Amino acid sequence: MNFTGKTAIVTGGSRGIGRAVCLELAAGGANVVFCYAGNDAAAHKTAQDVEAAGGRALALRCDVSDAAQVDALVSAAEERFGRIDILVNNAGITRDNLLLRMSEAEFDMVVAANLKGAFLCMKAVSKRMLKQRCGRIVNLSSVVGLRGNAGQVNYAASKAGIIGMTKSLAKELASRGVTVNAVAPGFIETDMTAALSESARSAAQGSIPMGRLGTPEDVAKAVAFLAGDDAAYITGQVLAVDGGMAM
Ligand code: NAP
């Protein structure tokens, strides 16, 4: 895909799916600005790999649940590369627990990072994209936002919320050439899922019609499609990338 001259902001770009998205966009020639929570070593490595893949990289620490930090991220991206064409809201966390054991803090933390973070980033880039009369926003939801999952009331709320926000903003921005879509990954091999027990993994694998876990690259290809010129007439959609889990 050709992203030459385009600038993308990818939240949570240092590891996992976000890292794969950064590399996919960079391979198409994009300027890639990505943020991360605190893992400087991973961010440094991804920035190097973005440059090696053919893009230009800017890595910044930014907690997406903090409005001032998000505004600083978007301003820094604009200052460095002059414009913002693509936003990928990928940063996300889990704090799993059954409802009766889930603390208010665990609920608030997940909703703040996963849902409020996406809201703040969309708010920060929308004005600029409206002025340009073009732009692409891709939000990471989850199969859990579509189907629910025991032990993930907080995470499911954030990921179902992402779908509602995606469709609402798609309606607000459609007439100005800005598309807003979501990707809903299934079970993807990243640090987020590495912590699961062997029995939980094989149970999850058993529920995937295609019989294998997904890779970050499987998701990144779908994100890149929705972020590209070929997806110009697609907005407000949720694309499941889950080996058939959410059929
Ligand atoms: P991951 O490997 O745990 O990586 C998370 C990334 O988000 C890291 O770059 C991390 O930065 C960053 N991050 C976390 N909290 C942040 C915050 N408050 N502000 C800024 N950056 C923050 O996660 P993943 O598995 O790639 O998941 C990426 C997205 O896909 C998430 O939204 C997740 O919910 C969604 N998803 C994943 C799966 C899956 O099976 N893996 C399935 C469905 C949906 P540091 O490196 O500094 O910690």
Side-chain angles (χ1 to χ4, degrees):
M1 302 205 64
N2 189 0
F3 294 107
T4 309
K6 299 254 166 85
T7 300
I9 295 179
V10 181
T11 68
S14 54
R15 293 185 288 118
I17 293 169
R19 173 184 151 82
V21 169
C22 289
L23 297 180
E24 188 69 29
L25 298 177
N31 306 315
V32 180
V33 180
F34 71 87
C35 77
Y36 61 102
N39 189 333
D40 294 319
H44 183 63
K45 168 91 175 86
T46 298
Q48 278 183 332
D49 291 347
V50 161
E51 304 257 346
R56 289 193 291 166
L58 176 62
L60 295 168
R61 250 196 213 213
C62 162
D63 177 355
V64 292
S65 66
D66 182 303
Q69 291 185 42
V70 167
D71 285 343
L73 170 75
V74 173
S75 297
E78 197 174 48
E79 204 169 295
R80 173 69 70 92
F81 295 118
R83 54 186 287 128
I84 294 149
D85 303 282
I86 298 161
L87 167 67
V88 181
N89 278 311
N90 165 83
I93 58 169
T94 52
R95 292 292 182 276
D96 298 351
N97 232 331
L98 294 172
L99 176 74
L100 291 180
R101 292 193 198 132
M102 187 176 287
S103 67
E104 197 178 334
E106 284 170 333
F107 184 87
D108 287 346
M109 209 182 298
V110 168
V111 170
N114 299 6
L115 188 62
K116 184 182 169 192
F119 161 75
L120 291 174
C121 292
M122 293 197 300
K123 197 168 155 67
V125 303
S126 285
K127 206 171 167 189
R128 291 156 164 105
M129 289 182 173
L130 281 170
K131 253 197 203 158
Q132 290 167 192
R133 291 193 160 262
C134 67
R136 296 276 185 275
I137 297 175
V138 184
N139 296 324
L140 270 289
S141 178
S142 166
V143 66
V144 172
L146 294 166
R147 299 204 322 189
N149 196 26
Q152 292 198 303
V153 159
N154 50 0
Y155 185 77
S158 72
K159 293 300 177 179
I162 283 282
I163 293 172
M165 275 202 319
T166 298
K167 294 185 177 192
S168 300
L169 188 62
K171 288 182 176 175
E172 289 185 24
L173 303 185
S175 66
R176 310 288 273 278
V178 180
T179 67
V180 190
N181 290 290
V183 169
F187 199 125
I188 311 299
E189 295 261 26
T190 68
D191 294 342
M192 187 177 271
T193 47
L196 289 175
S197 68
E198 206 38 59
S199 62
R201 281 175 85 78
S202 59
Q205 191 156 343
S207 71
I208 304 170
M210 290 186 80
R212 71 165 175 91
L213 272 54
T215 65
E217 292 72 27
D218 287 327
V219 182
K221 299 262 182 219
V223 171
F225 166 67
L226 291 170
D229 291 342
D230 290 346
Y233 200 54
I234 301 173
T235 198
Q237 302 305 304
V238 182
L239 178 55
V241 183
D242 62 1
M245 278 177 93
M247 275 190 273

